[in-house]
Amino acid sequence: MAKSISVRDEDENSNRLFTPRRSRTLAVLVALLVGLVVCTFLTVPFLPALTWALVLAVMFQPLHRRVKSRFRYPDAAAAATVAIAVFVVAVPLTFMAERLVNEAAKGAKIIEEALRSGTWRDALANYPRLAPAVVWIETQLDLAGIAGSATSWLTNFSASFVRGSVAQIIDAVLTFYFLFYFMRDGRQVLAALKEHSPLSEQDMNRLFTRVHETVHAVVFGTVAVAAVQGAMGGLMFWLLGLPAPVIWGLAMGLLAVVPVLGAFIVWLPAALSLALSGEWGKALILAGWGAGVVATIDNLLYPIFVGDRLKLHTLTAFMSMIGGIIVFGSAGLVIGPVAFTVTLLLLDIWRQHNTEPRA
């Protein structure tokens, strides 16, 4: 009798556990998780364009407010802001990078021809102590072959800038396409996120503020470090008596902003040109300054500049940026710090909610 009662109780508990309402809730939850996974996979290809569109939306938001006050229709205001962003950001960077890569390719070609002709050996006559080391390097390394490979790479890279690859064109178009809707529908998107989020409106406002501050910090850090790199490179050009130090310093600063490129495109060919013309002292100074200071100062200053503004420890800021670039490519420069700051904020919100006294 007791056994039959126990079995009946288990059946009743099982029926209460799998009520129609709970079954529907479980089915909806499973479907939601599946949908989130599918949507994540669908979004990944657009992640770089979405990231840079978000960056531009944050940076151009003050301008968009002014533009919107002068246009009657939101579509026209968003289109005007996007057009300004294209001319302010995309056109100058593309033109300058393509122009400098072209110059670097020409310089590499001249260096390759000088190495293959062997005329550079005559310049070693004035440096008898340096000659054995250079000859040993030549026997160990195929300098002409290295220069030829660099020439081919720079030439192909320059050509890709001129004609533009399909992927680059698509990413650029998508970036400004997304930017248009971020500008036009930004408030509606934020309101929808608040409505569907499990967090309170106050917590969501804190989250939006942290993302906004993070994007500003990353952009500020990138520009500030690039300015320092350009200034340091231009200063050395001036001290060594090289032509147009201001212009080349500006060029190095602009190239330092572009993740794919860097200031080395300017100072490395200049150092090699000095060496081949016999000015070995200046060449070694420029190469040492470029490799030891200009090329490495961003690893020191960037986490400091960005970490302070993000209220992150320098080591955490460094890992978020470098790790982001490794995982997500150039877009990881923004995604990494945003992921860290948002996660830390969510942990803080969770801690506050769990430490609040319960009524």
Side-chain angles (χ1 to χ4, degrees):
M1 183 67 179
K3 185 176 181 179
S4 62
I5 294 174
S6 176
V7 172
R8 187 164 55 250
D9 290 340
E10 290 180 0
D11 292 339
E12 291 178 356
N13 292 333
S14 177
N15 292 332
R16 286 197 297 268
L17 181 62
F18 293 101
T19 61
R21 183 176 180 181
R22 289 183 177 180
S23 299
R24 286 194 298 270
T25 302
L26 180 61
V28 171
L29 179 60
V30 172
L32 176 61
L33 292 176
V34 173
L36 289 174
V37 172
V38 173
C39 289
T40 300
F41 280 106
L42 294 176
T43 307
V44 166
F46 302 100
L47 198 56
L50 285 169
T51 302
W52 296 121
L54 174 63
V55 171
L56 293 176
V58 171
M59 301 309 299
F60 282 88
Q61 191 60 41
L63 174 65
H64 181 62
R65 293 194 191 100
R66 296 183 180 181
V67 173
K68 190 166 58 174
S69 64
R70 299 190 177 187
F71 283 85
R72 182 176 179 181
Y73 299 102
D75 288 355
T81 304
V82 170
I84 295 173
V86 170
F87 283 102
V88 170
V89 177
V91 174
L93 286 180
T94 302
F95 175 77
M96 179 63 72
E98 182 268 330
R99 187 81 177 269
L100 289 174
V101 172
N102 268 334
E103 294 298 324
K106 293 178 182 177
K109 184 65 176 177
I110 295 173
I111 292 171
E112 179 191 3
E113 292 175 354
L115 287 172
R116 293 191 184 280
S117 65
T119 56
W120 60 275
R121 295 187 183 89
D122 298 335
L124 290 176
N126 297 327
Y127 300 90
R129 295 182 179 180
L130 189 62
V134 177
V135 172
W136 180 83
I137 293 175
E138 184 188 13
T139 58
Q140 299 297 319
L141 301 174
D142 182 12
L143 296 180
I146 294 175
S149 299
T151 302
S152 301
W153 183 83
L154 288 170
T155 302
N156 294 333
F157 194 78
S158 175
S160 69
F161 258 97
V162 174
R163 63 178 182 269
S165 67
V166 175
Q168 290 171 342
I169 294 174
I170 291 176
D171 281 342
V173 171
L174 286 175
T175 296
F176 292 104
Y177 176 77
F178 293 144
L179 177 62
F180 172 82
Y181 289 103
F182 284 172
M183 290 299 185
R184 194 192 70 173
D185 304 325
R187 289 186 178 180
Q188 293 87 331
V189 172
L190 295 180
L193 290 175
K194 290 181 181 179
E195 182 179 354
H196 293 90
S197 173
L199 300 177
S200 65
E201 182 176 358
Q202 181 182 1
D203 290 336
M204 288 300 294
N205 289 333
R206 290 176 60 192
L207 187 65
F208 293 151
T209 300
R210 292 298 292 139
V211 172
H212 189 275
E213 291 175 349
T214 300
V215 173
H216 266 285
V218 170
V219 174
F220 167 80
T222 301
V223 174
V225 171
V228 172
Q229 287 183 291
M232 301 296 282
L235 175 64
M236 186 52 62
F237 268 55
W238 177 70
L239 292 175
L240 295 177
L242 297 177
V246 175
I247 295 176
W248 288 115
L250 178 62
M252 282 185 275
L254 290 175
L255 286 170
V257 174
V258 184
V260 180
L261 306 178
F264 73 93
I265 288 182
V266 174
W267 63 259
L268 182 57
L272 291 174
S273 178
L274 288 171
L276 293 176
S277 62
E279 299 183 82
W280 289 92
K282 291 184 177 181
L284 290 175
I285 292 173
L286 182 58
W289 184 262
V293 177
V294 177
T296 59
I297 198 170
D298 61 331
N299 294 328
L300 300 175
L301 293 182
Y302 196 89
I304 294 174
F305 286 163
V306 178
D308 290 342
R309 292 173 64 92
L310 293 179
K311 302 178 180 63
L312 291 176
H313 189 274
T314 302
L315 181 60
T316 306
F318 176 81
M319 289 191 299
S320 67
M321 290 175 289
I322 303 301
I325 293 174
I326 293 174
V327 175
F328 298 103
S330 61
L333 189 68
V334 178
I335 297 175
V338 167
F340 262 74
T341 54
V342 168
T343 302
L344 292 175
L345 177 60
L346 291 175
L347 287 174
D348 185 57
I349 292 173
W350 180 81
R351 179 186 60 80
Q352 291 179 358
H353 288 181
N354 282 274
T355 54
E356 290 178 354
R358 298 182 180 180

